Amino acid sequence: MTNREAHDLWRLPVDLEWVATVLEADPMRCQGAYLDLQTGEVIPDAAFENDTAGDHELDTRKTEPDRWLFLPCLGSRAVREDMAEFAAMIKYLPMRQRVEQAIEGLGAFHRFRDLIYAEGLASDWQAFSEQRRLARAREFLADLGVCVTAN
């Protein structure tokens, strides 16, 4: 079986929230994670490095390399884009302008969070953000040939 044919067969119950968290992590602070293509479990790279005869008694990344798919940390660019799209959806122009100003430059994440909580937009943002994060994670995995199934 070719590697491409194997990719077509990966149907796994994957925790998309966990995948999204890894993908959005700061690449300067996070080493990424591995997706177990047999079980769908997402395991942080650090777990392999810190494990001395724990859950993963033998690091099978070397003995079974086709079993593992590396998930890199891509950073927060997509989250910044989500904040901009969320701002663009706000119909009340003065509020939209305030949100757009909040997401400019350093400190944007904190200013954005503070503003949406103060203005009662937090639940709308959380629903929007969660939908976008999970869709991105699902799309990332699909591009690698992994079809996410229900747990």
Side-chain angles (χ1 to χ4, degrees):
M1 178 180 323
T2 68
N3 201 20
R4 181 67 210 153
E5 290 169 333
H7 283 255
D8 292 340
L9 299 177
W10 291 333
R11 298 190 186 301
L12 300 166
V14 178
D15 182 345
L16 288 174
E17 177 68 33
W18 192 199
V19 173
T21 299
V22 171
L23 295 175
E24 291 174 358
D26 181 351
M28 300 299 285
R29 295 183 179 174
C30 178
Q31 300 300 315
Y34 287 87
L35 173 64
D36 185 332
L37 294 170
Q38 291 179 0
T39 66
E41 183 180 11
V42 178
I43 303 170
D45 183 58
F48 288 106
E49 305 305 322
N50 297 332
D51 190 29
T52 56
D55 291 337
H56 305 94
E57 293 173 7
L58 177 62
D59 184 352
T60 59
R61 292 178 303 169
K62 292 181 180 87
T63 59
E64 300 176 63
D66 291 340
R67 177 179 174 175
W68 301 99
L69 182 64
F70 181 69
L71 304 175
C73 298
L74 303 175
S76 60
R77 172 180 268 167
V79 179
R80 284 184 174 273
E81 292 169 359
D82 289 350
M83 292 185 325
E85 288 188 38
F86 181 78
M89 293 173 22
I90 298 172
K91 302 225 184 300
Y92 181 59
L93 185 58
M95 177 59 64
R96 180 181 337 142
Q97 290 171 335
R98 288 179 58 206
V99 174
E100 289 171 344
Q101 288 173 344
I103 61 177
E104 294 298 321
L106 292 175
F109 289 100
H110 294 292
R111 283 191 308 274
F112 177 80
R113 183 195 63 222
D114 291 347
L115 180 59
I116 64 167
Y117 275 90
E119 296 297 335
L121 298 171
S123 62
D124 292 338
W125 162 249
Q126 289 169 344
F128 177 81
S129 174
E130 187 68 12
Q131 181 268 329
R132 297 294 297 254
R133 294 179 77 238
L134 298 181
R136 248 191 318 277
R138 185 180 301 278
E139 183 179 331
F140 180 88
L141 293 173
D143 287 347
L144 296 174
V146 176
C147 176
V148 178
T149 62
N151 289 342

